[in-house]
Amino acid sequence: MTVRLSLDDLPLRAELRGQTPYGAPQAPLPIALNVNENTHPVPEDVADDILDAVARALREVNRYPDREFIGLREAFAEYLGHGLSASDIWAANGSNEVLQHVLQAFGGPGRTAFGFAPTYSMYPILARGTGASWIPGHREADYTVSAESAAEQVDRIQPDVVFLCAPNNPTGTPMTLDVIEAVYDAAPGMVVVDEAYQEFAPRDTPSALTLLPGRERLVVSRTMSKAFAFAGARVGYLAADPAVIDALRLVRLPYHLSALTQAAATAALRHAPTMLRMVDEIVAQRDRISATLDALGYDPSPSWTNFVLFGGVDDPAAVWRALYDRGVLIRDIGIPHSLRVTAGTEDETTAFLDALASLESGA
């Protein structure tokens, strides 16, 4: 009989011992609102155009893809605006790989990465995976962070890489540009503003992209997973000074973006106005969730994202399980007395709210 090895039997790096891989529960439930996906399907006409683009790319799939993915970078630059060009853009297989490239280039052994906790759970995992040490900062009780506090913490820690999730995951909290400017002025190294949920912020909200000119250590990352309903395609990107892009070339694997990925993402970007119309509906459902949670006696945090974190949950594990048993999957992200739910379609949102209300009524 073969004895199965454990991690303790392997010569694993010391900083990885005792760690667990990222993982949100996956279950075949009818209502899955736990990982902040855009639950709306890609519109049929957009899907048809993407399929045509992928089919054309398949005809030359025997050849390596464009290593510099120039066409896709040009498409991202046009989408973002702000005077950006292809030389200011980088992309990879999901924003996690984009952030990993940043850490590989500017973090690593003997260096530190920093963010204001609670924040995106992948930051410490990516930091440890690339050999850097993760140092958590703190937020106020309402999950905000002021420019003064942010600058003081960064100045005291002197991290090599700072991650600012704006708006923040898992709390939905916005971050104003004065905080980003204060952090940049205090930081000795790279400052990464993760705008994965920027499209869900109020339309007149300025992006950190406006701060890029003259700030060569500033990086603004985005994803196609949320607003573009492209989570399964795994496409993330960033904007930064061209010198930063050159640094990321040093650590990327050759031909890291497949020809099929490039074709699909470029085609989707051609339909940006159509794709972004879904955002308005998602925001409406997010606000509906917040209002109903408040009426039910919970404490929803203000959110500029496609999800709502709500407190006032006496037993999060029990509520999570009761919703699970009713066919609704949400997320327990480890914040005491709190749970997080993604804003889905109108029907999905109704199913969640009805299931939660049934717990209150004992139905």
Side-chain angles (χ1 to χ4, degrees):
M1 180 178 177
T2 303
V3 177
R4 193 176 189 279
L5 293 176
S6 72
L7 287 178
D8 291 336
D9 299 315
L10 298 173
L12 192 66
R13 285 164 37 199
E15 65 269 24
L16 297 181
R17 291 194 178 278
Q19 302 299 325
T20 56
Y22 172 87
Q26 297 187 93
L29 296 186
I31 308 297
L33 301 174
N34 66 320
V35 289
N36 301 343
E37 297 158 317
N38 182 336
T39 64
H40 294 64
V42 175
E44 188 173 352
D45 59 333
V46 179
D48 287 343
D49 192 25
I50 293 171
L51 285 170
D52 288 344
V54 171
R56 289 191 295 272
L58 275 170
R59 296 191 184 104
E60 297 181 4
V61 80
N62 58 308
R63 302 288 188 179
Y64 284 118
D66 175 8
R67 186 177 60 245
E68 300 301 328
F69 48 98
I70 295 299
L72 178 56
R73 289 162 67 192
E74 289 173 344
F76 278 131
E78 181 179 358
Y79 169 68
L80 291 177
H82 294 85
L84 296 168
S85 66
S87 62
D88 305 305
I89 303 294
W90 188 247
N93 296 285
S95 60
N96 287 331
E97 187 178 52
V98 168
L99 301 179
Q100 183 180 60
H101 285 168
V102 173
L103 283 164
Q104 286 176 307
F106 301 104
R111 295 194 171 192
T112 55
F114 173 89
F116 298 104
T119 192
Y120 183 34
S121 60
M122 277 302 298
Y123 297 154
I125 293 174
L126 290 168
R128 286 191 295 264
T130 55
S133 299
W134 172 256
I135 301 175
H138 66 266
R139 296 172 177 268
E140 301 301 325
D142 63 356
Y143 305 122
T144 60
V145 58
S146 68
E148 181 180 17
S149 173
E152 186 279 324
Q153 292 182 65
V154 169
D155 182 62
R156 174 164 40 84
I157 299 298
Q158 292 287 288
D160 297 285
V161 181
V162 177
F163 288 105
L164 302 176
C165 197
N168 188 50
N169 179 15
T171 65
T173 315
M175 177 172 284
T176 51
L177 294 188
D178 64 315
V179 177
I180 298 170
E181 292 178 287
V183 167
Y184 185 88
D185 290 342
M190 304 300 293
V191 176
V192 181
V193 183
D194 182 353
E195 290 191 337
Y197 298 93
Q198 177 65 23
E199 284 92 348
F200 301 96
R203 290 291 172 82
D204 59 351
T205 304
S207 162
L209 294 168
T210 61
L211 301 179
L212 282 174
R215 294 181 174 88
E216 69 283 351
R217 294 180 289 107
L218 185 64
V219 171
V220 181
S221 70
R222 295 278 187 99
T223 181
M224 294 188 76
S225 294
K226 312 303 180 183
F228 276 85
F230 233 50
R234 310 307 303 127
V235 184
Y237 57 106
L238 63 73
D241 188 275
V244 175
I245 309 305
D246 287 340
L248 302 183
R249 286 194 180 92
L250 300 176
V251 298
R252 61 99 179 268
L253 295 174
Y255 311 105
H256 71 288
L257 273 178
S258 78
L260 306 184
T261 297
Q262 293 182 42
T266 304
L269 286 165
R270 287 197 294 266
H271 298 273
T274 299
M275 302 295 277
L276 293 178
R277 275 198 289 271
M278 292 185 288
V279 168
D280 293 334
E281 182 178 344
I282 293 167
V283 167
Q285 297 307 317
R286 177 198 72 198
D287 293 345
R288 177 189 170 205
I289 289 171
S290 293
T292 306
L293 286 170
D294 184 65
L296 290 173
Y298 294 100
D299 183 21
S301 294
S303 176
W304 282 13
T305 63
N306 70 337
F307 60 83
V308 178
L309 176 76
F310 59 102
V313 185
D314 291 336
D315 189 340
V319 172
W320 183 91
R321 171 52 67 177
L323 291 172
Y324 183 99
D325 291 342
R326 287 163 171 77
V328 178
L329 184 62
I330 66 170
R331 189 78 175 269
D332 184 347
I333 38 77
I335 295 178
H337 303 293
S338 299
L339 291 167
R340 191 191 71 188
V341 60
T342 305
T345 64
E346 183 177 3
D347 288 346
E348 289 170 330
T349 299
T350 297
F352 159 68
L353 293 173
D354 286 351
L356 188 64
S358 75
L359 303 185
E360 298 296 314
S361 66

